[in-house]
Amino acid sequence: MISNPKNQTTMMLKIEHIGIAVKNLEDSNTLFAKIFNAPHYKMEGVESEGVMTSFFQVGENKIELLEATNPESPIAKFIEKKGEGIHHIAFDVADIRAEMKRLEEEGFILLNKEPKNGADNKLVCFLHPKGTNGVLIELCQEK
Ligand code: ZN
């Protein structure tokens, strides 16, 4: 592991999952089950975000499919602009508040100032993709 001389307590641990925006979760569950040769292991709605999600386990990795549940959902807007596809990369962090503080001090724009409840029993925070080469980055910490 690469050491982090700046601060040992704030670091990203691994990619937690990759989020994929889809138009129809039922169709995509069938499609990705064929790709992975295994069904999704759970579905969960996040009402505050206007999304329904499903999760697939692929070895050590997870894939999250996201479908909008209303037209104002960030997923609906993403699909409108860019079409279906990779929406975000989520990184597991040991201490989400410390990581948010560190990144804010580095000049990154946090889309939420306080960690919020995400799917899969996580506290989450997103970084604005304008400051990250267009990649929407999610920080997540197991609750
Ligand atoms: Zn996610």
Side-chain angles (χ1 to χ4, degrees):
M1 193 181 289
I2 298 163
S3 71
N4 177 356
K6 262 188 171 173
N7 188 336
Q8 292 288 352
T9 61
T10 59
M11 57 188 298
M12 299 200 183
L13 304 173
K14 61 169 187 174
I15 291 178
E16 214 288 328
H17 63 269
I18 293 173
I20 299 174
V22 304
K23 286 182 183 167
N24 183 306
L25 198 54
E26 211 183 302
D27 290 351
S28 296
N29 277 340
T30 305
L31 176 72
F32 280 86
K34 272 185 205 162
I35 294 169
F36 301 140
N37 200 23
H40 63 281
Y41 65 89
K42 75 151 128 182
M43 285 182 74
E44 188 179 343
V46 184
E47 207 174 307
S48 60
E49 296 295 298
V51 296
M52 179 58 77
T53 68
S54 67
F55 284 86
F56 290 82
Q57 188 78 43
V58 187
E60 292 181 355
N61 304 116
K62 285 194 273 184
I63 299 292
E64 174 186 33
L65 304 183
L66 304 107
E67 178 195 57
T69 54
N70 70 66
E72 294 310 305
S73 162
I75 294 300
K77 289 177 178 163
F78 176 89
I79 288 176
E80 211 172 279
K81 262 201 238 169
K82 299 189 175 180
E84 293 178 297
I86 293 178
H87 175 259
H88 65 269
I89 301 177
F91 292 91
D92 197 9
V93 298
D95 181 342
I96 194 166
R97 283 190 170 80
E99 204 62 30
M100 286 167 69
K101 183 169 178 287
R102 179 183 74 80
L103 290 163
E104 195 164 38
E105 282 169 4
E106 293 280 5
F108 293 96
I109 301 160
L110 308 180
L111 290 183
N112 46 294
K113 294 286 177 192
E114 281 295 315
K116 56 184 181 180
N117 292 318
D120 206 25
N121 198 39
K122 298 284 196 294
L123 285 173
V124 304
C125 177
F126 288 91
L127 302 185
H128 199 297
K130 272 187 184 154
T132 58
N133 287 168
V135 180
L136 180 59
I137 291 176
E138 174 184 354
L139 308 176
C140 61
Q141 181 189 340
E142 189 89 27
K143 269 191 233 167

